[in-house]
């Protein structure tokens, strides 16, 4: 019972901080967005993302090799202008990554190591808020922060943040394609309890109201 209570407390402690940070960020965004000019290029975008981990090769003390493979995600983002060049963003979606930890075993008879490969899937529901600054009409830099909530047993709720740049290609008065490249950090899982760095290549369909 003591172990169960301790586990419950640890889980509550790990998830409390990312949730609080996300709520503060969302409250700030909506407070400022409420003061922005209404109906002026507010947009909604739906996109997909290819995720590439950076230098993710780790061996722990028990001899386990841990490698994160490329992943993918889908996202829904709302963009609200505060000024002509500075916009607030709020986003959510789904992110999936996979690893192939190799657990090493020692054979007593032959004194040889054998490995066993597994493929673990990590699933998250990220909720972020941020800023997007257009330094030309169609080119921008952006930064976001929030929480990635675990939606399966291998993932861990994590504080995440990202920054990058992109370009919007208009295909009509209300439509466009948004191409972005972001550096992302913060995702954790049960096999590697450290913030993982990754690159995200995003393509989204954007509709301006």
């Amino acid at each position: 019972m003591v172990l169960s209570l301790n586990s419950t407390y640890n889980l509550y402690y790990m998830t409390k901080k990312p949730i609080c940070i996300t709520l503060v960020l969302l409250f700030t965004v909506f407070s400022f967005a409420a003061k922005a000019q209404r109906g002026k290029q507010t947009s909604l975008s739906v996109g997909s993302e290819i995720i590439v981990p950076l230098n993710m090769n780790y061996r722990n003390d028990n001899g386990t090799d841990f490698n994160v493979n490329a992943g993918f995600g889908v996202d829904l983002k709302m963009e609200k202008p505060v000024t002509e060049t500075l916009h607030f963003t709020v986003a959510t979606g789904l992110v999936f990554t996979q690893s192939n930890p190799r657990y090493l075993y020692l054979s007593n008879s032959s004194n040889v190591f054998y490995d066993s490969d597994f493929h673990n899937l990590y699933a998250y529901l990220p909720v972020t808020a941020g800023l997007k600054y257009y330094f030309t009409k169609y080119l921008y830099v952006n930064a976001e922060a929030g929480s990635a909530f675990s939606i399966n047993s291998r993932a861990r709720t994590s504080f995440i943040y990202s920054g990058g740049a992109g370009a919007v290609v208009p295909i009509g008065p209300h439509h466009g394609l948004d191409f972005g490249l972001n550096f992302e950090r913060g995702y954790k899982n049960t096999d590697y309890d450290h913030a993982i760095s990754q690159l995200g290549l995003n393509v989204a369909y954007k509709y301006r109201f």
Side-chain angles (χ1 to χ4, degrees):
M1 178 60 71
V2 174
L3 291 176
S4 177
L5 289 174
N6 286 337
S7 299
T8 303
Y9 175 78
N10 290 335
L11 179 62
Y12 171 76
Y13 180 79
M14 286 188 297
T15 58
K16 182 180 178 182
K17 184 177 179 180
I19 292 173
C20 290
I21 293 173
T22 300
L23 290 175
V24 170
L25 287 170
L26 290 176
F27 176 78
T28 303
V29 166
F30 284 118
S31 296
F32 279 96
K35 300 176 183 178
Q37 298 177 6
R38 296 182 179 275
K40 205 171 184 180
Q41 295 184 344
T42 297
S43 65
L44 193 66
S45 61
V46 179
S48 60
E49 181 182 40
I50 297 175
I51 298 168
V52 181
L54 298 176
N55 301 325
M56 195 58 252
N57 189 351
Y58 168 77
R59 172 173 287 186
N60 61 22
D61 294 336
N62 63 16
T64 299
D65 281 327
F66 178 76
N67 299 281
V68 176
N69 299 329
F72 70 94
V74 293
D75 61 84
L76 176 67
K77 180 177 292 186
M78 185 188 75
E79 189 175 321
K80 181 76 174 178
V82 177
T83 68
E84 185 177 351
T85 57
L86 184 64
H87 293 194
F88 276 109
T89 62
V90 180
T92 187
L94 295 171
V95 170
F96 301 94
T97 58
Q98 189 182 55
S99 71
N100 59 334
R102 304 181 66 189
Y103 299 94
L104 303 183
Y105 301 97
L106 179 64
S107 170
N108 293 326
S109 58
S110 59
N111 200 33
V112 175
F113 283 100
Y114 295 93
D115 62 53
S116 181
D117 290 347
F118 298 87
H119 292 275
N120 294 329
L121 179 69
Y122 315 108
Y124 307 87
L125 192 156
V127 179
T128 60
L131 292 170
K132 180 180 284 189
Y133 176 75
Y134 288 86
F135 56 91
T136 71
K137 188 174 182 179
Y138 300 118
L139 301 177
Y140 64 83
V141 291
N142 66 287
E144 296 180 347
S147 292
F149 298 97
S150 62
I151 55 176
N152 74 345
S153 59
R154 309 297 301 189
R156 284 189 173 174
T157 297
S158 316
F159 171 70
I160 57 174
Y161 57 94
S162 66
V168 178
V169 179
I171 54 177
H174 297 284
H175 310 273
L177 293 177
D178 192 333
F179 298 89
L181 179 64
N182 291 287
F183 170 80
E184 305 168 348
R185 183 170 173 81
Y187 289 94
K188 297 181 180 181
N189 57 65
T190 56
D191 298 304
Y192 185 76
D193 191 25
H194 302 279
I196 295 174
S197 299
Q198 58 196 34
L199 287 179
L201 177 62
N202 182 276
V203 180
Y205 164 76
K206 186 174 184 178
Y207 179 80
R208 292 187 298 274
F209 295 98

